[in-house]
Amino acid sequence: MASLTELLPLPPRRPFSSRSDGRQSCSPSRLKSPFLNFPSTTRRLLSSGCHVAKESLISSSNPGGDGTADGYSVDCVVVGGGISGLGIAQALATKHGDVAREVIVTEARDRVGGNITTVERDGYLWEEGPNSFQPSDPILTLAVDSGLKNELVLGDPDAPRFVLWNGKLRPVPAKPTDLPFFDLMSIGGKLRAGFGAIGIRPPPPGREESVEDFVRRNLGDEVFERLIEPFCSGVYAGDPSKLSMKGAFGKVWKLEQSGGSIIGGTFKAIQERSRTPKQPRDPRLPKPKGQTVGSFRKGLAMLPNAISARLGSKVKLSWKLSSIKKLDGHGYTLIYETPEGLVSVKAKSVVMTVPSYVASSLLRPLSEVAADALSKFYYPPVAAVTVSYPKEAIRKECLMEGELKGFGQLHPRSQGVETLGTIYSSTLFPNRAPPGRVLLLNYIGGATNTGIVSKSKSDLVEAVDRDLRTMLINPNAVDPLVVGVRVWPQAIPQFLIGHLDLLEAAKTALQDGGMEGLFLGGNFVAGVALGRCVEGAYESAAQVSNYLANYAYK
Ligand SMILES: Cc1cc2nc3c(=O)[nH]c(=O)nc-3n(C[C@H](O)[C@H](O)[C@H](O)COP(=O)(O)OP(=O)(O)OC[C@H]3O[C@@H](n4cnc5c(N)ncnc54)[C@H](O)[C@@H]3O)c2cc1C
């Protein structure tokens, strides 16, 4: 088993999203740790004052800003070229172009996409970060606006999802009418959930509740242990005893608040929806059927790449923000490390979509209080381990009509396996593996297993393979082909108890400190799901536009 990672000798991995535009990138050694390790010359220069930036200006002919003698001068700088930053820039360009005329997106890496990392090689196409998205209207709008309508792929809405319980993979109910028939919960557990949902349960405790406390109180222990606890692993790689119900699953939390119970709140929400006049749905958007997830023909990276291609020279790759200073009056000066040296940018407004720990250190000189609040958010490590087996390796009892069917499976922490969950990548979307092979993406680690950072990649593959052989793969199957192993040391921000208060404290401190026109965005603000990042991007773009229209330079 120790030699599992050697089964597929891997050439240096090149993200699918890597440069195709011929623009310059950083040297490989700098790219390995984009957030760390200023070159010593830069450190020296920065400590001697901002004026050094003028010594290595990019010529004024560079597009994307007006290229004044101070470098660039723009209406808005978006810091971070993940889906949040790109979504903001696209929305500013398409919806708010009247006030946000000059916008640039700056990204420390030599590629866009942030966490989104699709790789293609040897007949396999796989994701090393997020795997898919819920096809909500905002993300579909972004995809259609980016010219990707015909590239969209959706999972089969009738395919089951499984939870491992007592050694067996059991389907999860897809709709309420399935509830009486599924065997994941006992009759007593189902009754407890039903009574709790209509409000026969202890009242809210009057303090911010964890996901675990909220669900045990409202829906009972079985719903928590067999459905919600593994679901928290699937979405946050999180610990439900510490995640905040209000912060992490705000929509469900609100149901109880507004309607006195989960069902009461659901009816109220339906009534309210039927009273408010329906906005006509954008006719360009595809209509996904049922509960499904989406991606693109060549993986998620198609989305950031398409947005970036549309934004063109507004996207600045290998531009790592190293400091930000408030100008007297309105606006900011940002200093970047770039392949051409230090570059200075003057901006009327700035949106930070970098992870909160990066924002914290960049913003410390502007507001100690905001920086302290931002430094408290927690990002546990997660590894994405992608392996392939021949079809015959799948256990007979897991096949339907001779095929592995379904979205994938989640593993409650109580079930004695280390892997958080497994996505059936080659079943979910077409053309992800050569014929006769099954491609499985496994997530391992998270808030309850942070020790994965000190494990070798072959240890992680071994753990995943060992787990899979207990329920999905025949125990005597051949060793898997190791397609890719990616460890994210700080993967997903956890919306823990107190998260929303800390976020508010950071925003208030910036406001009180006179940092108008400086906005916080990204997944630790909007929510971690890609769809929430896109909704948050539209909200940030509207805030910037409002600021530029009403306040900037007045
Ligand atoms: C392993 C994993 C699996 C996931 N699975 C799913 C899933 O299946 N479905 C789903 O909906 N969500 C999933 N998520 C969550 C989702 O991927 C993220 O919430 C989302 O991609 C975050 O996008 P973002 O733009 O806010 O941040 P990021 O993607 O983190 O982008 C921030 C960008 O800022 C850049 N940056 C950092 N410092 C600087 C600097 N100094 N100067 C300039 N740029 C800088 C970074 O290089 C990065 O590109 C997953 C996340 C991970 C890690």
Side-chain angles (χ1 to χ4, degrees):
M1 287 299 235
S3 65
L4 280 171
T5 46
E6 289 151 28
L7 292 172
L8 182 66
L10 302 178
R13 195 170 299 135
R14 194 161 59 87
F16 184 64
S17 54
S18 63
R19 314 292 303 269
S20 55
D21 58 1
R23 277 174 275 172
Q24 268 188 303
S25 64
C26 281
S27 70
S29 62
R30 287 179 71 189
L31 291 174
K32 269 182 197 149
S33 52
F35 308 142
L36 307 170
N37 299 339
F38 282 8
S40 57
T41 43
T42 310
R43 263 199 309 266
R44 237 182 8 252
L45 290 171
L46 286 176
S47 63
S48 68
C50 279
H51 65 277
V52 294
K54 291 184 184 169
E55 294 172 11
S56 48
L57 290 178
I58 290 186
S59 93
S60 61
S61 61
N62 270 293
D66 74 0
T68 67
D70 285 325
Y72 288 75
S73 183
V74 294
D75 294 314
C76 182
V77 172
V78 182
V79 187
I83 195 66
S84 299
L86 293 170
I88 294 168
Q90 169 135 318
L92 286 173
T94 55
K95 296 183 205 294
H96 308 285
D98 50 337
V99 283
R101 281 178 284 272
E102 300 287 356
V103 176
I104 58 173
V105 192
T106 58
E107 167 53 49
R109 292 184 176 119
D110 68 345
R111 63 168 183 90
V112 289
N115 289 333
I116 297 174
T117 313
T118 309
V119 191
E120 184 174 27
R121 194 174 53 240
D122 297 339
Y124 291 95
L125 190 133
W126 72 101
E127 302 289 351
E128 297 200 325
N131 167 72
S132 56
F133 54 82
Q134 288 202 323
S136 60
D137 281 1
I139 200 162
L140 291 176
T141 304
L142 190 67
V144 170
D145 284 347
S146 312
L148 293 182
K149 183 172 179 174
N150 296 330
E151 303 291 337
L152 198 66
V153 288
L154 296 170
D156 172 5
D158 296 325
R161 296 152 168 94
F162 299 94
V163 165
L164 176 69
W165 195 257
N166 284 343
K168 198 178 151 204
L169 292 169
R170 298 163 197 269
V172 172
K175 46 191 182 313
T177 45
D178 295 345
L179 277 167
F181 307 107
F182 79 114
D183 78 343
L184 180 59
M185 281 167 57
S186 70
I187 293 175
K190 290 175 194 173
L191 287 173
R192 168 65 182 86
F195 284 127
I198 58 171
I200 304 172
R201 47 91 184 94
R207 60 175 156 78
E208 189 174 358
E209 263 183 313
S210 69
V211 171
E212 174 167 2
D213 288 347
F214 178 95
V215 177
R216 284 194 192 274
R217 181 173 62 75
N218 271 289
L219 300 170
D221 294 341
E222 286 195 13
V223 172
F224 173 71
E225 285 156 16
R226 304 180 190 195
L227 282 170
I228 303 303
E229 188 259 8
F231 182 68
C232 286
S233 300
V235 178
Y236 284 92
D239 177 349
S241 71
K242 299 198 173 113
L243 285 170
S244 155
M245 188 67 198
K246 183 180 171 188
F249 301 107
K251 279 188 186 155
V252 180
W253 175 82
K254 265 194 205 133
L255 293 177
E256 188 191 24
Q257 297 292 311
S258 66
S261 68
I262 292 177
I263 297 280
T266 308
F267 279 129
K268 206 167 169 197
I270 293 170
Q271 275 171 350
E272 269 163 24
R273 257 205 308 274
S274 64
R275 272 200 296 269
T276 33
K278 249 194 174 170
Q279 294 288 336
R281 190 169 184 263
D282 184 343
R284 300 172 310 150
L285 301 189
K287 287 188 189 137
K289 289 193 194 93
Q291 288 290 321
T292 188
V293 294
S295 180
F296 301 96
R297 197 174 48 81
K298 286 285 186 182
L300 287 176
M302 285 189 89
L303 182 58
N305 287 347
I307 301 170
S308 176
R310 289 192 167 224
L311 291 171
S313 61
K314 291 178 194 296
V315 179
K316 308 293 181 194
L317 296 179
S318 303
W319 275 37
K320 182 186 164 199
L321 180 62
S322 54
S323 73
I324 171 165
K325 207 177 134 199
K326 176 98 174 65
L327 291 169
D328 291 339
H330 292 278
Y332 297 86
T333 300
L334 297 96
I335 305 292
Y336 282 93
E337 290 173 42
T338 80
E340 290 82 12
L342 295 183
V343 171
S344 149
V345 176
K346 253 189 199 169
K348 291 181 191 171
S349 61
V350 178
V351 195
M352 304 289 283
T353 71
V354 295
S356 58
Y357 48 89
V358 180
S360 168
S361 48
L362 287 167
L363 297 179
R364 189 160 292 285
L366 302 184
S367 167
E368 285 277 336
V369 178
D372 283 347
L374 292 172
S375 71
K376 296 199 171 81
F377 296 140
Y378 173 49
Y379 292 65
V382 174
V385 177
T386 306
V387 289
S388 165
Y389 296 87
K391 265 189 182 162
E392 309 77 64
I394 305 292
R395 290 183 179 209
K396 275 216 165 57
E397 65 268 25
C398 299
L399 298 174
M400 284 180 242
E401 295 154 3
E403 298 290 328
L404 177 65
K405 293 210 171 145
F407 283 61
Q409 55 190 56
L410 288 168
H411 311 143
R413 299 299 73 217
S414 56
Q415 298 303 294
V417 293
E418 197 179 349
T419 310
L420 295 168
T422 300
I423 287 161
Y424 305 163
S425 303
S426 48
T427 305
L428 190 53
F429 301 124
N431 303 321
R432 301 291 160 121
R437 305 289 304 186
V438 168
L439 187 67
L440 301 175
L441 163 58
N442 306 273
Y443 292 116
I444 185 167
T448 56
N449 183 12
T450 54
I452 58 139
V453 273
S454 50
K455 287 194 173 167
S456 68
K457 290 189 174 177
S458 60
D459 283 347
L460 294 173
V461 173
E462 234 177 270
V464 162
D465 179 64
R466 188 176 52 238
D467 287 344
L468 290 173
R469 282 168 199 269
T470 65
M471 81 305 257
L472 180 70
I473 299 294
N474 283 314
N476 56 358
V478 294
D479 283 348
L481 197 67
V482 181
V483 176
V485 181
R486 172 73 180 256
V487 180
W488 299 86
Q490 288 174 290
I492 299 174
Q494 303 292 291
F495 280 55
L496 302 180
I497 290 174
H499 181 99
L500 296 181
D501 293 337
L502 280 172
L503 187 58
E504 206 43 48
K507 287 181 181 171
T508 307
L510 289 174
Q511 218 170 16
D512 293 351
M515 303 301 150
E516 68 273 7
L518 174 59
F519 301 97
L520 296 175
N523 61 358
F524 71 91
V525 178
V528 301
L530 291 167
R532 274 303 305 150
C533 292
V534 173
E535 285 175 57
Y538 290 153
E539 286 158 21
S540 294
Q543 281 176 340
V544 169
S545 164
N546 181 49
Y547 173 75
L548 289 173
N550 294 305
Y551 306 107
Y553 292 95
K554 283 211 167 156

